[in-house]
C-alpha cells in the first residue's frame, strides 16, 4: 500500500503528448503504470473491505488532514497523488462494499457496473448529445427501456438518467408542472410561475424529503403541499384523499425509507385518474420489487401513474451515482428540459440534454446498462428476494431476543427499538464503534429506532449472523 511513486515524465500532466523528449517512459506507458497501480489499490481495497471495521477509525479520519493544505504552486507526480489518496483516503471510507453496511438505503456496486465505471472514466464521454457520444446516449436509452420493462410500464414511456432519485423526482415533477400548466394554456418554461394558474400538490405525511426539495426547486413550494394522513406503516390513507382535479399532482411512494411500505396505489391511482390529476411515484428503491414474481404484488397499481423516480444506486447496486426519471408522455419531459443553441449539434437521435437538467454530464447510463445487463431479470429479482429474506432474518433474530420490531418487514427495511430512546441510541453508537456492521437511527412515528436496510448484493447469511450477534452484544447493558 505504501510503495513509493514510480518514475513519471515530469511534465506529462501538462501536455507532453508523445514520447518524452529525453529518456524515460512515454506518456502512455506512464499512464498505464499509474492505472495499473490504481487498479491494484482498488482491488486490495475491495478484498480487504470485509475484514476491516465498517466505519473508519477516528485515527483514519484525523489523518485526512494530510490531504488539506494550500494548492501546491507546482505539479505533483500523479503517482504521488494516487499514493496520497490510497494512503489517507481509503482508510477513511465507510466500507460499504463488504456486505455489512446497512445504513440509509445503500447498495454496493456490482462488479460489472464497477468495471464499466472504470472504462467510462477512460472514455471520458460527454453524454449531453448523441453527436458527442453515440455510445453513451445509446446505452442510456437502452438502459432506460430496461428499467421501464422491469417496472412493467407502458411502451413509449421515456426518461432520463440522473444523479439520483432527488434529481429524478425533480425531472419528473418538472414534466408534471409543464403538462398541468399547458392544460391551462400557460407556458411555464417561457413565462415562469409569476401569474401562472395555481397547481395543487398532494403528498402523504410520510413523503420523502427529496420530493419536498424538488418541489421547492421547481417553485411549487416546500410548504404549499396538501398532506394526506398515513397509517401505522406510513402508507397514504386512500380514505383520506382530498379533492383532486386536473390541476393536481398527486405524489405517491413505493417504498418508505423507514418501513419499506408501499402506498395503496391501485385505489389511489384510480381516484386520481378519474379526476384527471397527474400521478407521480417516488419509488427510489421500492419499485424494483417489480422484478421479483414474489414481491411484485407490492408494486401493483403504480404502473397507472404518469411519472416515476427511482435509483440505480440503491437496490440494483449500480454504484454512485445513478437515478432514473420515467415519464409516460416523454414529450412533457422534453418540453421541460430541452435546450437549443446554434453551436449545439442536434440530430434525429435522442439527445439526453433535452431530457435532463444538465447539459454536459457524465455517461452514468453506461454503468446502469452494464449492471442491469450483468444481472438480467433474474439477477435483479434475486437481489430483491435475498436482501428481503435477510431483512426478515434480522427481524426474527431481534424479536427472538425480546426487542421490538416496529414495522411489518415487507421488503428490505427493518426498524428495531432496543427500549428507551437513550438505550437505542447507546446501542447504535456501540454497534458503529465496534465495527462489524453499520446501522443508523431514525424516529418512526414518535419511536426512536435503529434502521437496518439490507440493500447490498454482497450481503451473505454469514454477514447477517455476524451482524445480528454484534447488534445483540451492543444492546447488552
Ligand atoms: C423513498 C426515497 N425517495 C428519494 C430518495 C432520495 O434519493 P437520492 O439520495 O438518490 O437522491 C430516497 C433516499 O433514500 C428515498 O428512500
Amino acid at each position: 500500500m505504501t510503495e513509493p511513486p514510480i518514475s513519471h515524465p515530469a511534465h506529462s500532466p501538462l501536455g507532453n503528448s508523445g514520447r518524452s523528449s529525453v529518456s524515460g517512459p512515454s506518456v502512455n506507458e506512464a499512464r498505464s503504470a499509474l492505472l495499473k497501480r490504481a487498479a491494484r489499490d482498488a482491488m486490495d481495497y475491495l478484498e480487504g473491505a470485509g475484514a476491516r471495521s465498517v466505519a473508519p477509525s477516528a485515527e483514519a479520519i484525523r489523518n485526512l488532514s494530510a490531504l488539506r493544505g494550500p494548492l501546491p504552486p507546482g505539479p505533483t507526480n500523479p503517482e504521488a497523488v494516487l499514493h496520497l489518496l490510497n494512503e489517507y483516503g481509503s482508510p477513511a471510507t465507510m466500507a460499504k462494499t463488504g456486505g455489512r453496511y446497512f445504513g440509509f438505503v445503500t447498495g454496493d456496486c456490482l462488479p460489472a457496473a464497477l468495471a464499466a465505471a472504470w472504462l467510462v472514466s477512460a472514455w471520458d464521454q460527454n453524454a449531453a448529445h448523441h453527436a458527442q457520444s453515440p455510445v453513451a446516449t445509446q446505452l442510456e436509452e437502452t438502459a432506460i427501456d430496461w428499467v421501464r420493462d422491469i417496472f412493467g410500464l407502458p411502451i413509449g414511456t421515456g426518461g432520463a438518467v440522473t444523479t439520483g432519485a432527488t434529481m429524478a423526482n425533480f425531472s419528473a415533477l418538472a414534466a408534471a408542472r409543464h403538462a398541468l400548466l399547458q392544460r391551462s394554456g400557460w407556458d411555464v418554461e417561457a413565462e415562469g410561475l409569476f401569474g401562472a394558474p395555481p397547481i395543487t400538490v398532494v403528498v402523504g405525511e410520510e413523503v420523502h424529503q427529496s420530493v419536498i426539495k424538488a418541489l421547492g426547486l421547481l417553485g411549487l413550494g416546500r410548504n404549499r403541499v396538501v398532506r394526506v394522513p398515513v397509517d401505522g406503516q406510513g402508507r397514504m390513507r386512500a380514505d383520506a384523499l382530498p379533492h383532486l382535479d386536473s390541476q393536481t399532482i398527486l405524489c405517491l411512494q413505493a417504498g418508505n425509507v423507514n418501513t419499506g411500505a408501499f402506498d395503496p396505489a391501485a385505489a389511489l391511482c384510480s381516484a386520481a385518474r378519474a379526476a384527471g390529476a397527474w400521478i407521480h411515484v417516488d419509488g427510489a428503491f421500492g419499485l424494483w420489487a417489480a422484478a421479483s414474481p414474489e414481491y411484485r404484488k407490492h408494486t401493483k397499481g403504480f404502473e397507472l401513474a404518469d411519472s416515476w423516480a427511482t435509483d440505480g444506486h440503491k437496490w440494483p447496486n449500480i454504484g454512485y451515482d445513478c437515478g432514473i426519471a420515467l415519464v409516460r408522455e416523454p414529450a412533457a419531459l422534453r418540453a421541460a428540459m430541452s435546450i437549443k443553441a446554434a453551436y449545439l449539434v442536434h440530430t434525429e437521435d435522442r439527445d439526453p440534454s433535452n431530457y435532463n437538467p444538465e447539459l454536459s454530464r457524465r455517461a452514468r447510463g453506461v454503468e446502469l446498462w452494464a449492471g442491469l445487463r450483468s444481472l438480467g431479470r433474474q439477477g435483479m429479482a434475486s437481489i430483491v428476494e435475498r436482501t428481503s429474506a435477510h431483512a426478515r432474518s434480522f427481524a426474527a433474530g431481534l424479536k427472538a431476543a425480546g426487542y421490538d420490531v416496529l414495522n411489518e418487514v415487507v421488503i428490505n427495511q427493518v426498524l428495531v427499538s432496543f427500549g428507551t430512546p437513550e438505550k437505542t441510541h447507546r446501542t447504535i453508537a456501540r454497534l458503529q464503534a465496534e465495527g462489524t456492521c453499520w446501522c443508523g437511527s431514525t424516529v418512526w412515528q414518535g419511536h426512536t429506532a435503529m434502521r437496518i436496510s439490507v440493500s447490498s448484493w454482497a450481503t451473505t447469511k454469514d454477514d447477517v449472523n455476524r451482524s445480528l450477534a454484534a447488534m445483540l452484544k451492543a444492546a447488552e447493558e
Side-chain angles (χ1 to χ4, degrees), residues 328-412:
R328 181 184 287 268
E329 297 287 346
L333 183 61
R334 189 186 169 102
M337 297 294 168
S338 65
I339 178 166
K340 282 201 173 58
Y343 81 98
L344 299 175
V345 185
H346 294 283
T347 62
E348 287 307 299
D349 298 292
R350 176 188 178 277
D351 288 325
S353 55
N354 284 328
Y355 295 87
N356 274 84
E358 307 94 348
L359 181 56
S360 294
R361 51 195 281 279
R362 191 170 180 283
R364 58 178 61 79
V366 179
E367 286 122 282
L368 179 60
W369 180 92
L372 292 180
R373 175 78 195 241
S374 77
L375 287 175
R377 265 180 176 281
Q378 284 166 10
M380 188 61 232
S382 163
I383 291 181
V384 167
E385 289 160 16
R386 276 199 326 267
T387 53
S388 300
H390 291 327
R392 285 197 302 277
S393 299
F394 273 123
L398 291 161
K399 267 189 207 162
Y403 298 111
D404 274 348
V405 171
L406 305 181
N407 65 317
E408 291 165 17
V409 181
V410 287
I411 46 170
N412 61 338

Side-chain angles (χ1 to χ4, degrees), residues 105 163-167 169 208 210 253 255-257 282 284-285 311 313-314:
V105 184
T163 50
T166 303
M167 284 314 285
N169 278 317
H208 193 273
S210 64
Q253 183 168 255
N256 179 287
V257 72
D282 174 15
F285 59 105
D311 261 322
H313 54 226
K314 289 192 169 71

Side-chain angles (χ1 to χ4, degrees), residues 153-404:
L153 306 182
I155 291 174
T157 296
V161 177
T162 66
T163 50
T166 303
M167 284 314 285
N169 278 317
F170 170 83
S171 304
L173 288 166
R177 185 183 69 161
H178 169 88
L180 263 55
L181 288 174
Q182 191 189 39
R183 286 175 193 168
S184 317
W186 187 268
D187 182 348
V188 66
E189 284 74 33
E191 308 300 334
L193 282 174
F194 300 101
I199 291 176
T200 305
V201 182
V202 176
V203 301
E205 274 294 353
E206 273 292 331
V207 62
H208 193 273
Q209 286 305 312
S210 64
V211 173
I212 297 296
K213 178 172 176 172
L215 291 169
L217 290 172
L218 287 163
L220 295 174
R222 291 188 181 215
N223 295 341
R224 246 185 101 263
V225 292
V226 177
R227 289 177 180 269
V228 183
V230 296
D231 67 12
Q233 297 301 311
R235 294 174 291 231
M236 193 186 282
R237 276 179 38 207
D239 64 331
L241 208 54
H243 168 78
L244 306 174
D245 60 24
S246 62
Q247 292 302 301
T248 304
I249 303 172
L250 172 65
C251 297
L252 304 185
Q253 183 168 255
N256 179 287
V257 72
N258 283 312
T259 62
F262 293 74
D263 284 342
L268 292 165
C269 287
S270 74
R273 284 194 85 79
W278 179 288
I279 308 163
H280 171 67
V281 180
D282 174 15
F285 59 105
L287 279 175
W288 295 96
S292 158
E294 190 184 339
Y295 289 85
R296 193 171 296 147
K297 59 182 184 235
H298 297 300
T299 64
K300 200 167 170 345
F302 287 103
E303 74 282 358
L304 298 170
D306 298 285
S307 60
W308 305 263
T310 194
D311 261 322
H313 54 226
K314 289 192 169 71
W315 236 355
N317 284 248
I318 299 302
Y320 286 100
D321 48 31
C322 179
I324 305 106
L326 294 155
V327 181
R328 181 184 287 268
E329 297 287 346
L333 183 61
R334 189 186 169 102
M337 297 294 168
S338 65
I339 178 166
K340 282 201 173 58
Y343 81 98
L344 299 175
V345 185
H346 294 283
T347 62
E348 287 307 299
D349 298 292
R350 176 188 178 277
D351 288 325
S353 55
N354 284 328
Y355 295 87
N356 274 84
E358 307 94 348
L359 181 56
S360 294
R361 51 195 281 279
R362 191 170 180 283
R364 58 178 61 79
V366 179
E367 286 122 282
L368 179 60
W369 180 92
L372 292 180
R373 175 78 195 241
S374 77
L375 287 175
R377 265 180 176 281
Q378 284 166 10
M380 188 61 232
S382 163
I383 291 181
V384 167
E385 289 160 16
R386 276 199 326 267
T387 53
S388 300
H390 291 327
R392 285 197 302 277
S393 299
F394 273 123
L398 291 161
K399 267 189 207 162
Y403 298 111
D404 274 348

